[in-house]
């Protein structure tokens, strides 16, 4: 892999492959011990400066957003042989990782991608885990946050990819695929659903009708799913804490129709006989709020 953009923006020192030897020189081979001490101090200072330079460069390389680009994640994850280029310098991947590691740099950037390469055959590169690990990867096409990781996953063969699908449809594909392949624990369903929504739509999600294309029923399509083993059926443990018995009038109807308001009041009395005072209070409070709008 030749990191073209990193090559253009980062300048690597010419001594990246090796620091070389420092050989003091002078006209007098029998220099005094004071001169030797001075030269030794210069060597120590030069080595210290070079070490600080290397550490700073390693840190800058590690936090560079270059490693967070989704296509770089793909390239490094799938490549058989990798070379990293710095200006005119070239270094193989293992030596590069050793250079980063020896300076005790934080475990992000290339070190994270190197772990991913090592875990490829250890059962760690699951579709679910890759979505979580690379959720902040940068990309222009939101669908690539999903499609770009399919090839790296050890359990995502056969996943349907179609860039003509809406973001909502891609979200459904991910959830149904994982459900059908039993890639989700029951306790993970809600959190993974939220994660995939974040990957596709970010922190701000417009109304569903702005995300989805116009709904066209398919042949035999039915909102009620009768087959409990369908991939569209997600089994969750839940508790019943109440039910909806009546849907009251809209704010406009509360203001414009006394008849509908009376029907609402009657329903309150019928359904909250044991808590009637509090129910009337809450109902009146709702009406006052609507009147102030």
């Amino acid at each position: 892999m030749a990191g073209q953009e990193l090559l253009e923006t980062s300048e690597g020192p010419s001594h990246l492959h090796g620091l070389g030897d420092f050989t003091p020189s002078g006209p007098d081979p029998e220099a005094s011990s004071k001169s030797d001490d001075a030269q030794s101090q210069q060597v120590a200072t030069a080595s210290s400066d070079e070490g600080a330079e290397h550490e700073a460069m390693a840190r800058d390389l590690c936090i560079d957003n270059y490693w967070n680009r989704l296509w770089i994640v793909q390239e490094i994850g799938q490549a058989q042989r990798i070379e990293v280029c710095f200006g005119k310098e070239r270094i193989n991947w293992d030596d590069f990782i050793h250079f980063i590691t020896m300076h005790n740099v934080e475990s992000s950037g290339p070190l994270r991608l190197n772990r991913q390469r090592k875990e490829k055959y250890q059962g760690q590169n699951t579709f679910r885990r890759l979505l979580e690990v690379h959720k902040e990867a940068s990309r222009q096409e939101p669908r690539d946050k999903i499609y770009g990781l399919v090839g790296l996953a050890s359990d995502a063969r056969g996943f349907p990819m179609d860039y003509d699908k809406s973001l909502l449809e891609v979200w459904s594909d991910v959830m149904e695929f994982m459900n059908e392949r039993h890639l989700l624990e029951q306790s993970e369903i809600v959190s993974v659903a939220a994660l995939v929504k974040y990957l596709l739509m970010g922190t701000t999600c417009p109304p569903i009708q702005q995300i989805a294309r116009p709904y066209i029923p398919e042949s035999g399509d039915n909102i009620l799913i009768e087959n409990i083993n369908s991939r569209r059926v997600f089994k969750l443990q839940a508790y019943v804490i109440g039910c909806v018995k009546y849907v009251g009038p809209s704010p406009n109807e509360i203001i414009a129709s006394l008849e509908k308001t009376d029907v609402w009041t009657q329903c309150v009395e019928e359904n909250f006989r044991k808590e009637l005072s509090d129910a009337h209070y809450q109902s009146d409070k709702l009406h006052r709020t609507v009147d102030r709008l």
Side-chain angles (χ1 to χ4, degrees), residues 89-146:
E89 296 291 336
R90 177 177 297 179
I91 185 173
N92 69 55
W93 179 256
D94 290 339
D95 289 341
F96 172 70
I97 292 299
H98 175 71
F99 170 76
I100 296 292
T101 304
M102 66 183 290
H103 291 290
N104 298 317
V105 179
E106 59 183 80
S107 60
S108 59
L111 296 182
R112 171 170 53 85
L113 300 184
N114 190 58
R115 285 197 306 274
Q116 177 182 299
R117 285 177 59 82
K118 290 183 176 181
E119 293 169 351
K120 182 176 181 179
Y121 301 110
Q122 298 175 5
Q124 298 296 314
N125 287 355
T126 63
F127 194 25
R128 162 75 177 86
R129 184 170 184 270
L130 290 175
L131 292 176
E132 177 66 36
V133 170
H134 299 294
K135 64 182 178 182
E136 301 301 337
S138 56
R139 81 289 177 265
Q140 293 182 336
E141 165 57 61
R143 294 162 186 81
D144 282 339
K145 276 287 191 82
I146 306 299

Side-chain angles (χ1 to χ4, degrees), residues 3-289:
Q4 293 297 329
E5 294 195 40
L6 185 64
L7 182 149
E8 294 172 1
T9 58
S10 300
E11 295 182 0
S14 59
H15 45 258
L16 186 62
H17 291 290
L19 300 179
D21 297 323
F22 183 89
T23 305
S25 60
D28 185 2
E30 298 180 358
S32 65
S33 60
K34 184 179 294 186
S35 176
D36 289 341
D37 291 342
Q39 289 179 350
S40 297
Q41 186 174 2
Q42 290 176 0
V43 173
T45 301
S47 298
S48 177
D49 291 343
E50 288 175 344
E53 180 185 353
H54 291 170
E55 183 175 350
M57 186 184 73
R59 183 174 294 104
D60 289 343
L61 284 171
C62 213
I63 65 175
D64 196 293
N65 194 52
Y66 175 84
W67 308 106
N68 204 36
R69 298 175 186 176
L70 196 59
W71 71 272
I72 293 297
V73 174
Q74 289 176 292
E75 290 284 340
I76 293 178
Q78 295 181 320
Q80 296 297 318
R81 184 175 61 88
I82 305 174
E83 289 186 337
V84 184
C85 301
F86 308 82
K88 296 180 180 180
E89 296 291 336
R90 177 177 297 179
I91 185 173
N92 69 55
W93 179 256
D94 290 339
D95 289 341
F96 172 70
I97 292 299
H98 175 71
F99 170 76
I100 296 292
T101 304
M102 66 183 290
H103 291 290
N104 298 317
V105 179
E106 59 183 80
S107 60
S108 59
L111 296 182
R112 171 170 53 85
L113 300 184
N114 190 58
R115 285 197 306 274
Q116 177 182 299
R117 285 177 59 82
K118 290 183 176 181
E119 293 169 351
K120 182 176 181 179
Y121 301 110
Q122 298 175 5
Q124 298 296 314
N125 287 355
T126 63
F127 194 25
R128 162 75 177 86
R129 184 170 184 270
L130 290 175
L131 292 176
E132 177 66 36
V133 170
H134 299 294
K135 64 182 178 182
E136 301 301 337
S138 56
R139 81 289 177 265
Q140 293 182 336
E141 165 57 61
R143 294 162 186 81
D144 282 339
K145 276 287 191 82
I146 306 299
Y147 295 161
L149 297 174
V150 169
L152 299 177
S154 59
D155 54 0
R157 295 297 180 269
F159 182 85
M161 293 192 286
D162 183 353
Y163 281 91
D164 290 330
K165 287 187 175 182
S166 70
L167 299 183
L168 179 61
E169 288 173 315
V170 177
W171 177 85
S172 296
D173 283 346
V174 174
M175 296 306 299
E176 291 176 13
F177 179 85
M178 287 188 168
N179 192 36
E180 183 180 37
R181 298 287 186 92
H182 305 290
L183 304 181
L184 292 175
E185 298 292 338
Q186 187 181 94
S187 60
E188 295 180 316
I189 292 175
V190 174
S191 61
V192 172
L195 170 64
V196 177
K197 173 178 174 288
Y198 170 75
L199 293 173
L200 291 168
M201 308 168 197
T203 54
T204 57
C205 177
I208 293 296
Q209 58 267 31
Q210 295 182 25
I211 302 171
R213 297 180 303 189
Y215 174 68
I216 302 176
E218 299 178 0
S219 176
D221 195 13
N222 195 328
I223 295 178
L224 180 61
I225 303 173
E226 297 180 351
N227 179 12
I228 61 172
N229 294 317
S230 168
R231 66 178 185 175
R232 299 177 65 186
V233 174
F234 293 82
K235 299 176 183 179
L236 292 170
Q237 184 176 8
Y239 301 92
V240 178
I241 59 175
C243 62
V244 177
K245 288 189 174 182
Y246 177 77
V247 177
S250 68
N252 288 336
E253 290 173 335
I254 289 177
I255 296 174
S257 175
L258 290 176
E259 180 182 353
K260 292 189 175 182
T261 302
D262 287 341
V263 172
W264 166 257
T265 302
Q266 181 180 346
C267 288
V268 168
E269 293 174 356
E270 291 175 353
N271 289 286
F272 295 94
R273 297 185 184 281
K274 295 181 179 181
E275 303 166 323
L276 195 55
S277 296
D278 186 56
H280 274 307
Y281 171 76
Q282 295 294 338
S283 178
D284 292 343
K285 183 179 180 181
L286 172 63
H287 288 186
R288 289 194 298 271
T289 302

